[in-house]
Amino acid sequence: MSQQGYVATPPYSQAQPGMGGYQGGFGAGPAQPLYGHYGGQPQAFTAPPTGMMKPPVSSAAGMPPPPASSQYNQQNGAHPQRYPAPPASSAYGQPLQPPYNSMASQAPPPAQQLTNQMSAMNLGNYAPGPMQSPPPPTSSVAQQPFQTAPPPAMGQPPMPPLMSPQMSPPQSPPASMAMGGPPMTGPPMAGMAGMGRPFTGPPPTGPGGFQQPGPGPASPLGYQQQPGPYGGPMAGPMPGMPGAFPGAPGGLAGPPQKKLDADSIPSITQVIEEDQERQGGQVYNTNIRGQVPPLVTTDFSVQDQGNASPRFMRCTTYTLPCTADLAKQCQVPLAAIVKPFASLPKNETPLYLVNHGEPGPVRCNRCKAYMCPYMQFIDGGRRYQCGFCSCVNEVPVQYFQHLDHMGRRVDFYERPELSLGSYEFAATLEYCKNNKAPNPPAYIFMIDVSYNNIKSGLVKLICDELKTLLDDLPREEGAESSAIRVGFVTYNKILHFYNVKSALAQPQMMVVSDTAEMFLPLLDGFLVNYQESRAVIFNLLDQIPDMFADTNESETVFVPVIQAGVEAFKAAECSGKLFIFQSSMPTAEAPGKLKNRDDKKLVNTEKEKTLFQPQKGVYEQLSKECVAQGCCVDLFLFPSQYVDLATMGDVPSHTGGSVYKYNNFQVEIDGQHFLRDLRKDVQKSIGFDAVMRVRTSTGFRATDFFGAIHMNNTTDVEMAAVDCDKAVTVELKHDDTLSEETGALLQCALLYTTIGGQRRLRIHNLSLNCSSQLMELYKSCETDSLVNFFAKSAYRAMLNQPLKNVREILVNQTAHMLACYRKNCASPSAVSQLILPSAMKVLPVYMNSLMKSAPLVGSTELSTDERAHQRLSVMAMGVEDTQLLLYPRLIPLHNMDPSSEALPAPMRCSEEGLSDSGMYLLENGHSMFLWLGQGSPPELIQNLFNVPSLAHLQGHMSSLPDLDNPLSKKVQSIISELLEKRPNSMKLQIVRQRDKPDMLFRQFLVEDKSLHGGASYMDFLTFVHREIRQLLS
């Protein structure tokens, strides 16, 4: 397959003193580092083991591979794979031969040697690869006339120009892109050189496998963040300002050169668009082992044929390295992101329920894996060999079935557990607590009725909404009404419980004022069926706002409220969820009382991490009690100042719950936004009292877990509840050699209670390839999953390490992964070229965005609660949510056709694309902005806002007026479609160019330099390139 390469020259091409070898892995502690170690002489890259670079295997049927048609014809981890027809005996259509023999596009074609070295000034844009097939058509991007920018001010060595493809030599490495040109002469950048000193002393390992740099004065400066100027364009270095990385003196300019065009570096929007063109609207069949699915952003449907749908499980790579040494060498994290309850689109089949009656599910006697497509039946069907541990088991008599001429059971297609990747088993009593069937779960609504919430109108808003919302409680398929029972508590310094038994004419209130020893004052009538007690509940919801209308109590408690919920569930012998609506930090005398510990002086110091560590003691104990009882906590916060979210959010984040936050809540502005969140939260599909276990075939195992979970031991992931938006990221490590023939298997089993009170097992299976070729691993990587893993690892590590170290490790690991690709997989080329694997070419954009994200930026301008909130939210996110959060969608609306069904194509997240007369919608799953350029045409403003011009627009608008014209209807429908699709509601913020909120909007343009510190994408790419060259030299 002709691969395209990609070439650009970085400004700092001077080799720097060695960046001492950080074995910067997330994950296990420091093994012998690859590129020199702390304090030691930097070692050269070790040669790959023999057999690493096998000669290219000819493609199927000896035909030359087909021509590439897209600009980078493989991208972001999705590759077309062509397998020969599977032999009759192979189960599941998995080829029996090793994966790289059967893949048409697999091995790199022998690279042609460079015939003419490119000069320092030129830059090949997407040069076609070695000619084995007709060259691909040059894309539109490549044909733009290149403008020459004036030489920049003395800020930083500028970047050279592009050269059009016609002039560039055909010299690019396979499945990769290259950026390059000979090194520039000139002094090394001063501030950067400081980063290169080797570390002194051995590296202590920080928790979570992040390493702490050694002590002593020689630790490097680190990849520091730099504040951009307030206002103004922030896309590139400012004239007269120091370079994008601090410590680089302003006066260091090399010979004047032309600037590198931003359009020539890899673009996420382009990668997304190409994958949508190639795989959008198609059916993805899961019958092939180690197959890379379409991107999370692509619109496709799934046909389960033996492996779990990518909606349930995604991996950082679909080809695992065969040995731990290879894994260590490339440092690509091996992980799976599991979303056990993911929602399926209407056109996909819901999971089948398998009921084996009294005997329960069939399992392997040794490793306890559940019956699945990877079990091999032998001996005429009387025994089966486990695919996970190879143990041979007797088939239970009632499960026996004959085999056909291919060795498959005759009932293969009738049994979901033999032919599908995902299915459910009905669990027997031995899977239930105390061997007795569970009761249906309950929802308790706990409303803070202190002064702030009453005054803001929030209490009335909640009570009015609950009257209609409780009709929509989730229910089992086919059930007429929900089995979930409901209860109500109000509180400030004391707690009020309500008896809403259907026999009563009026609700009764019982007060508990001793919050130190929490107990439940009533058993009967607290948790009720909503349909039966509807009249009494309506009565109560009408009375609550009036009952507390004259309150002046401003202090609240928090821990006793959760304890009361746990006690209620204990008494009712059920699991359930608490919906807590709290306005402020709990300062009343009671367990869990908090005090303000926000201290901006700690930012950018060793102690900054303490701001994000929850207060221990009562909160930690409470999490354990909640998980043991299956009590999930969802917290809705309405703060007007610091509330120590790191501590208040601790229980929700260990019980499978969520934290929602509405700063300075005003009913008119934020009311609808909050109610959308509440409705989604009450109605979403969910399982309770869950335990998840991930089993693997021999040779590797699950070692670490990230999510809204609790771990009592090293294997059982406990969740008081798990809903359709929660994902658990599972890190995998080798404990032996894996075999290319058998591949690697994963089985995720989740035991939970349904909303109807049934105990079930939900099983997801996935089979991966294994290879001793690093090229295979890099080809089947998935950038979006890698970024999910890095975000969660970094956000966990920041509890134990200075942020500077965490950012540094992210940079180092990015450089390390790319350097290993360059060394072992790319064809030889000039060192000054940046060569990126096709599947990872946009990884630097995401990694830079992650390092600029609120939790990792050491800036005193960001609120501590805001940073803690994002940290906790991300820990439970799936791949699509982290993708969108770190690279927001920016959609131009001013030139779209209102009559067209299609959404306008998103643009790059950079200021350069914004036009003064344009209108853009930006969303990242948590925030939504409608940005209006100063030159917006009056008719556009009239059609959308019903005012004659931009100047007439009101300040804080949070919604568009309903107007009867095509543009208004189209924009409204785009916004409501996005709100429907995302797990969280987003509050629309309407921003005029150069107004104050414009600064907030610009924080989301992640390719530009950040206001709070952080490099632009271009600067970061250049910096990573320097690190790679250092590692290689």
Side-chain angles (χ1 to χ4, degrees), residues 449-450 454 459 490-492 496 498 509 543-552:
V449 288
S450 62
I454 294 288
V459 173
T490 54
Y491 67 95
N492 37 46
H496 324 105
Y498 297 93
M509 177 199 221
Q543 289 179 28
I544 287 176
D546 301 337
M547 238 185 311
F548 299 99
D550 303 327
T551 186
N552 47 16

PDB file of all heavy atoms in Angstrom, residues 449-450 454 459 490-492 496 498 509 543-552:
ATOM      1  N   VAL A 449     -32.555  22.697  52.201  1.00  0.00           N
ATOM      2  CA  VAL A 449     -33.528  23.801  52.257  1.00  0.00           C
ATOM      3  C   VAL A 449     -32.967  24.968  53.070  1.00  0.00           C
ATOM      4  O   VAL A 449     -33.695  25.654  53.773  1.00  0.00           O
ATOM      5  CB  VAL A 449     -34.888  23.336  52.850  1.00  0.00           C
ATOM      6  CG1 VAL A 449     -35.619  22.455  51.861  1.00  0.00           C
ATOM      7  CG2 VAL A 449     -34.684  22.603  54.174  1.00  0.00           C
ATOM      8  N   SER A 450     -31.630  25.185  52.974  1.00  0.00           N
ATOM      9  CA  SER A 450     -31.048  26.322  53.672  1.00  0.00           C
ATOM     10  C   SER A 450     -31.383  27.608  52.904  1.00  0.00           C
ATOM     11  O   SER A 450     -31.895  27.560  51.779  1.00  0.00           O
ATOM     12  CB  SER A 450     -29.529  26.151  53.788  1.00  0.00           C
ATOM     13  OG  SER A 450     -28.970  26.104  52.494  1.00  0.00           O
ATOM     14  N   ILE A 454     -33.465  28.298  49.080  1.00  0.00           N
ATOM     15  CA  ILE A 454     -34.845  28.806  49.101  1.00  0.00           C
ATOM     16  C   ILE A 454     -34.897  30.140  48.369  1.00  0.00           C
ATOM     17  O   ILE A 454     -35.734  30.377  47.498  1.00  0.00           O
ATOM     18  CB  ILE A 454     -35.330  28.989  50.569  1.00  0.00           C
ATOM     19  CG1 ILE A 454     -35.445  27.628  51.273  1.00  0.00           C
ATOM     20  CG2 ILE A 454     -36.648  29.751  50.609  1.00  0.00           C
ATOM     21  CD1 ILE A 454     -36.593  26.753  50.824  1.00  0.00           C
ATOM     22  N   VAL A 459     -35.385  25.369  45.343  1.00  0.00           N
ATOM     23  CA  VAL A 459     -36.196  24.332  45.990  1.00  0.00           C
ATOM     24  C   VAL A 459     -37.542  24.193  45.278  1.00  0.00           C
ATOM     25  O   VAL A 459     -37.999  23.089  44.974  1.00  0.00           O
ATOM     26  CB  VAL A 459     -36.384  24.644  47.497  1.00  0.00           C
ATOM     27  CG1 VAL A 459     -37.366  23.664  48.125  1.00  0.00           C
ATOM     28  CG2 VAL A 459     -35.033  24.587  48.206  1.00  0.00           C
ATOM     29  N   THR A 490     -35.575  16.476  53.472  1.00  0.00           N
ATOM     30  CA  THR A 490     -35.067  17.856  53.344  1.00  0.00           C
ATOM     31  C   THR A 490     -34.121  18.072  54.522  1.00  0.00           C
ATOM     32  O   THR A 490     -34.220  17.372  55.533  1.00  0.00           O
ATOM     33  CB  THR A 490     -36.201  18.911  53.379  1.00  0.00           C
ATOM     34  OG1 THR A 490     -36.986  18.706  54.564  1.00  0.00           O
ATOM     35  CG2 THR A 490     -37.096  18.808  52.153  1.00  0.00           C
ATOM     36  N   TYR A 491     -33.190  19.017  54.380  1.00  0.00           N
ATOM     37  CA  TYR A 491     -32.224  19.204  55.475  1.00  0.00           C
ATOM     38  C   TYR A 491     -31.591  20.581  55.402  1.00  0.00           C
ATOM     39  O   TYR A 491     -31.556  21.229  54.370  1.00  0.00           O
ATOM     40  CB  TYR A 491     -31.125  18.125  55.410  1.00  0.00           C
ATOM     41  CG  TYR A 491     -30.223  18.229  54.196  1.00  0.00           C
ATOM     42  CD1 TYR A 491     -29.003  18.917  54.257  1.00  0.00           C
ATOM     43  CD2 TYR A 491     -30.585  17.673  52.968  1.00  0.00           C
ATOM     44  CE1 TYR A 491     -28.189  19.032  53.152  1.00  0.00           C
ATOM     45  CE2 TYR A 491     -29.773  17.781  51.856  1.00  0.00           C
ATOM     46  CZ  TYR A 491     -28.573  18.463  51.949  1.00  0.00           C
ATOM     47  OH  TYR A 491     -27.763  18.588  50.840  1.00  0.00           O
ATOM     48  N   ASN A 492     -31.127  21.047  56.558  1.00  0.00           N
ATOM     49  CA  ASN A 492     -30.164  22.145  56.647  1.00  0.00           C
ATOM     50  C   ASN A 492     -29.140  21.708  57.699  1.00  0.00           C
ATOM     51  O   ASN A 492     -28.271  20.915  57.386  1.00  0.00           O
ATOM     52  CB  ASN A 492     -30.823  23.489  56.962  1.00  0.00           C
ATOM     53  CG  ASN A 492     -31.982  23.352  57.928  1.00  0.00           C
ATOM     54  OD1 ASN A 492     -31.874  22.676  58.942  1.00  0.00           O
ATOM     55  ND2 ASN A 492     -33.099  24.003  57.623  1.00  0.00           N
ATOM     56  N   HIS A 496     -35.036  16.252  57.891  1.00  0.00           N
ATOM     57  CA  HIS A 496     -36.486  16.023  57.969  1.00  0.00           C
ATOM     58  C   HIS A 496     -36.835  14.870  57.032  1.00  0.00           C
ATOM     59  O   HIS A 496     -36.554  14.956  55.839  1.00  0.00           O
ATOM     60  CB  HIS A 496     -37.263  17.267  57.536  1.00  0.00           C
ATOM     61  CG  HIS A 496     -36.621  18.558  57.936  1.00  0.00           C
ATOM     62  ND1 HIS A 496     -35.965  19.379  57.036  1.00  0.00           N
ATOM     63  CD2 HIS A 496     -36.503  19.153  59.152  1.00  0.00           C
ATOM     64  CE1 HIS A 496     -35.485  20.436  57.672  1.00  0.00           C
ATOM     65  NE2 HIS A 496     -35.786  20.334  58.953  1.00  0.00           N
ATOM     66  N   TYR A 498     -39.842  12.203  55.463  1.00  0.00           N
ATOM     67  CA  TYR A 498     -41.282  12.310  55.181  1.00  0.00           C
ATOM     68  C   TYR A 498     -41.914  10.940  54.988  1.00  0.00           C
ATOM     69  O   TYR A 498     -41.406  10.111  54.229  1.00  0.00           O
ATOM     70  CB  TYR A 498     -41.500  13.182  53.932  1.00  0.00           C
ATOM     71  CG  TYR A 498     -41.021  14.602  54.162  1.00  0.00           C
ATOM     72  CD1 TYR A 498     -39.731  14.994  53.805  1.00  0.00           C
ATOM     73  CD2 TYR A 498     -41.839  15.525  54.815  1.00  0.00           C
ATOM     74  CE1 TYR A 498     -39.272  16.270  54.062  1.00  0.00           C
ATOM     75  CE2 TYR A 498     -41.386  16.817  55.074  1.00  0.00           C
ATOM     76  CZ  TYR A 498     -40.103  17.177  54.703  1.00  0.00           C
ATOM     77  OH  TYR A 498     -39.651  18.451  54.967  1.00  0.00           O
ATOM     78  N   MET A 509     -44.041  14.600  58.700  1.00  0.00           N
ATOM     79  CA  MET A 509     -42.618  14.929  58.774  1.00  0.00           C
ATOM     80  C   MET A 509     -42.029  14.456  60.095  1.00  0.00           C
ATOM     81  O   MET A 509     -42.658  14.583  61.129  1.00  0.00           O
ATOM     82  CB  MET A 509     -42.466  16.451  58.669  1.00  0.00           C
ATOM     83  CG  MET A 509     -41.058  16.965  58.797  1.00  0.00           C
ATOM     84  SD  MET A 509     -41.183  18.693  59.198  1.00  0.00           S
ATOM     85  CE  MET A 509     -40.046  19.522  58.353  1.00  0.00           C
ATOM     86  N   GLN A 543     -45.948  21.482  49.395  1.00  0.00           N
ATOM     87  CA  GLN A 543     -45.757  22.097  50.717  1.00  0.00           C
ATOM     88  C   GLN A 543     -44.303  22.491  51.021  1.00  0.00           C
ATOM     89  O   GLN A 543     -44.070  23.476  51.734  1.00  0.00           O
ATOM     90  CB  GLN A 543     -46.228  21.128  51.812  1.00  0.00           C
ATOM     91  CG  GLN A 543     -47.734  20.956  51.854  1.00  0.00           C
ATOM     92  CD  GLN A 543     -48.152  19.956  52.939  1.00  0.00           C
ATOM     93  OE1 GLN A 543     -47.461  19.799  53.935  1.00  0.00           O
ATOM     94  NE2 GLN A 543     -49.275  19.290  52.716  1.00  0.00           N
ATOM     95  N   ILE A 544     -43.346  21.714  50.512  1.00  0.00           N
ATOM     96  CA  ILE A 544     -41.938  21.947  50.919  1.00  0.00           C
ATOM     97  C   ILE A 544     -41.482  23.400  50.715  1.00  0.00           C
ATOM     98  O   ILE A 544     -40.956  24.018  51.649  1.00  0.00           O
ATOM     99  CB  ILE A 544     -40.983  20.940  50.220  1.00  0.00           C
ATOM    100  CG1 ILE A 544     -41.159  19.554  50.834  1.00  0.00           C
ATOM    101  CG2 ILE A 544     -39.526  21.372  50.349  1.00  0.00           C
ATOM    102  CD1 ILE A 544     -40.344  18.442  50.171  1.00  0.00           C
ATOM    103  N   PRO A 545     -41.688  24.015  49.514  1.00  0.00           N
ATOM    104  CA  PRO A 545     -41.186  25.396  49.352  1.00  0.00           C
ATOM    105  C   PRO A 545     -41.822  26.359  50.356  1.00  0.00           C
ATOM    106  O   PRO A 545     -41.148  27.276  50.854  1.00  0.00           O
ATOM    107  CB  PRO A 545     -41.589  25.763  47.918  1.00  0.00           C
ATOM    108  CG  PRO A 545     -41.768  24.448  47.220  1.00  0.00           C
ATOM    109  CD  PRO A 545     -42.271  23.494  48.261  1.00  0.00           C
ATOM    110  N   ASP A 546     -43.114  26.169  50.689  1.00  0.00           N
ATOM    111  CA  ASP A 546     -43.786  27.086  51.626  1.00  0.00           C
ATOM    112  C   ASP A 546     -43.320  26.844  53.064  1.00  0.00           C
ATOM    113  O   ASP A 546     -43.140  27.780  53.847  1.00  0.00           O
ATOM    114  CB  ASP A 546     -45.309  26.894  51.563  1.00  0.00           C
ATOM    115  CG  ASP A 546     -45.826  27.140  50.155  1.00  0.00           C
ATOM    116  OD1 ASP A 546     -45.120  27.849  49.401  1.00  0.00           O
ATOM    117  OD2 ASP A 546     -46.886  26.601  49.791  1.00  0.00           O
ATOM    118  N   MET A 547     -43.122  25.558  53.389  1.00  0.00           N
ATOM    119  CA  MET A 547     -42.725  25.196  54.754  1.00  0.00           C
ATOM    120  C   MET A 547     -41.453  25.919  55.193  1.00  0.00           C
ATOM    121  O   MET A 547     -41.298  26.314  56.338  1.00  0.00           O
ATOM    122  CB  MET A 547     -42.464  23.687  54.783  1.00  0.00           C
ATOM    123  CG  MET A 547     -43.308  22.956  55.788  1.00  0.00           C
ATOM    124  SD  MET A 547     -42.888  21.203  55.915  1.00  0.00           S
ATOM    125  CE  MET A 547     -42.828  20.556  54.311  1.00  0.00           C
ATOM    126  N   PHE A 548     -40.502  26.080  54.240  1.00  0.00           N
ATOM    127  CA  PHE A 548     -39.211  26.662  54.612  1.00  0.00           C
ATOM    128  C   PHE A 548     -39.039  28.076  54.057  1.00  0.00           C
ATOM    129  O   PHE A 548     -37.936  28.616  54.048  1.00  0.00           O
ATOM    130  CB  PHE A 548     -38.067  25.771  54.104  1.00  0.00           C
ATOM    131  CG  PHE A 548     -38.108  24.390  54.699  1.00  0.00           C
ATOM    132  CD1 PHE A 548     -38.658  23.334  53.986  1.00  0.00           C
ATOM    133  CD2 PHE A 548     -37.627  24.152  55.980  1.00  0.00           C
ATOM    134  CE1 PHE A 548     -38.709  22.060  54.541  1.00  0.00           C
ATOM    135  CE2 PHE A 548     -37.678  22.883  56.539  1.00  0.00           C
ATOM    136  CZ  PHE A 548     -38.223  21.828  55.819  1.00  0.00           C
ATOM    137  N   ALA A 549     -40.141  28.684  53.596  1.00  0.00           N
ATOM    138  CA  ALA A 549     -40.031  29.979  52.912  1.00  0.00           C
ATOM    139  C   ALA A 549     -39.374  31.036  53.786  1.00  0.00           C
ATOM    140  O   ALA A 549     -38.665  31.907  53.290  1.00  0.00           O
ATOM    141  CB  ALA A 549     -41.418  30.441  52.465  1.00  0.00           C
ATOM    142  N   ASP A 550     -39.591  30.981  55.103  1.00  0.00           N
ATOM    143  CA  ASP A 550     -39.068  32.038  55.968  1.00  0.00           C
ATOM    144  C   ASP A 550     -37.784  31.640  56.680  1.00  0.00           C
ATOM    145  O   ASP A 550     -37.388  32.280  57.660  1.00  0.00           O
ATOM    146  CB  ASP A 550     -40.125  32.423  57.020  1.00  0.00           C
ATOM    147  CG  ASP A 550     -41.420  32.856  56.344  1.00  0.00           C
ATOM    148  OD1 ASP A 550     -41.321  33.444  55.243  1.00  0.00           O
ATOM    149  OD2 ASP A 550     -42.509  32.571  56.880  1.00  0.00           O
ATOM    150  N   THR A 551     -37.143  30.604  56.222  1.00  0.00           N
ATOM    151  CA  THR A 551     -35.933  30.130  56.923  1.00  0.00           C
ATOM    152  C   THR A 551     -34.824  31.161  56.837  1.00  0.00           C
ATOM    153  O   THR A 551     -34.721  31.898  55.866  1.00  0.00           O
ATOM    154  CB  THR A 551     -35.439  28.804  56.306  1.00  0.00           C
ATOM    155  OG1 THR A 551     -34.350  28.305  57.099  1.00  0.00           O
ATOM    156  CG2 THR A 551     -34.891  28.995  54.899  1.00  0.00           C
ATOM    157  N   ASN A 552     -34.014  31.235  57.899  1.00  0.00           N
ATOM    158  CA  ASN A 552     -32.788  32.029  57.764  1.00  0.00           C
ATOM    159  C   ASN A 552     -31.591  31.172  58.170  1.00  0.00           C
ATOM    160  O   ASN A 552     -30.533  31.686  58.491  1.00  0.00           O
ATOM    161  CB  ASN A 552     -32.856  33.334  58.569  1.00  0.00           C
ATOM    162  CG  ASN A 552     -33.367  33.062  59.964  1.00  0.00           C
ATOM    163  OD1 ASN A 552     -33.365  31.905  60.390  1.00  0.00           O
ATOM    164  ND2 ASN A 552     -33.793  34.099  60.677  1.00  0.00           N
TER     165      ASN A 552
END
